[in-house]
Amino acid sequence: MRGDLVPNTIQAAEGTVRWGSWGEGRPLVLLHGTPFSSSVWREVLPGLATSRQVFAWDMPGFGKSEQRTGQDVSLAAQGRIFARLLREWSLPSPAIVAHDVGGVVALRALLLEGSNYEELTLLNAVGVPGWSRGGFFDVTKNNREVFSELPGFAHRALVE
């Protein structure tokens, strides 16, 4: 792909968010990890866009989206922004491919922000901070209601 990968903008409380869309067909949204940007998808976008409508975005604090001192770039903020983008793009149930912390962002949008996905593919995803005592196990214990709402496929993958 040549040119600006994320030519479009949307204003959020956390700053200007840059995004792009290519192709036609069933929607597929790509989420980058850290310290990356949507440019990590540059080589696979042309192939994906031959049969899908592909969306990619730069999370605030990354790539060409706004980066400023004091900006909220927390995973909670990124999850809210991603859910908003899906609404803005009129994508009620797209397929999602998420890398690294993009996996947490996708899961937060799904479990906490009311988003819905046709499919969710996690690539080398970071799911929760820390797996030791005080980390993952406390997160699940203290958020039982959230984890009880996991779709079957996500619950099985988490347990495995």
Side-chain angles (χ1 to χ4, degrees):
M1 306 231 75
R2 297 195 188 280
D4 190 357
L5 200 58
V6 286
N8 306 305
T9 61
I10 186 170
Q11 285 302 128
E14 297 79 8
T16 303
V17 177
R18 301 281 304 263
W19 65 276
S21 173
W22 311 263
E24 294 181 17
R26 291 184 11 246
L28 172 66
V29 182
L30 306 174
L31 284 83
H32 66 81
T34 180
F36 308 108
S37 69
S38 59
S39 65
V40 301
W41 306 110
R42 185 175 298 281
E43 297 299 318
V44 299
L45 267 168
L48 294 171
T50 63
S51 61
R52 306 290 292 257
Q53 182 180 19
V54 183
F55 293 80
W57 62 296
D58 285 346
M59 294 180 204
F62 298 90
K64 293 191 175 182
S65 286
E66 187 172 339
Q67 301 178 36
R68 61 179 155 74
T69 303
Q71 182 179 25
D72 184 1
V73 294
S74 68
L75 295 173
Q78 306 290 14
R80 287 189 304 271
I81 293 165
F82 182 51
R84 179 176 171 202
L85 283 170
L86 293 176
R87 290 189 302 272
E88 293 280 334
W89 296 333
S90 299
L91 301 179
S93 189
I96 305 294
V97 175
H99 171 250
D100 190 67
V101 298
V104 175
V105 173
L107 288 170
R108 288 190 69 90
L110 176 69
L111 299 172
L112 301 174
E113 302 297 332
S115 297
N116 190 36
Y117 308 144
E118 175 189 350
E119 303 171 323
L120 173 60
T121 303
L122 302 175
L123 303 171
N124 196 28
V126 175
V128 292
W131 287 87
S132 61
R133 183 174 177 88
F136 174 73
F137 297 107
D138 281 352
V139 169
T140 56
K141 182 177 88 176
N142 296 332
N143 297 282
R144 196 170 295 154
E145 69 285 350
V146 172
F147 284 90
S148 69
E149 296 296 320
L150 281 173
F153 72 89
H155 185 263
R156 284 188 298 281
L158 183 62
V159 170
E160 288 173 6

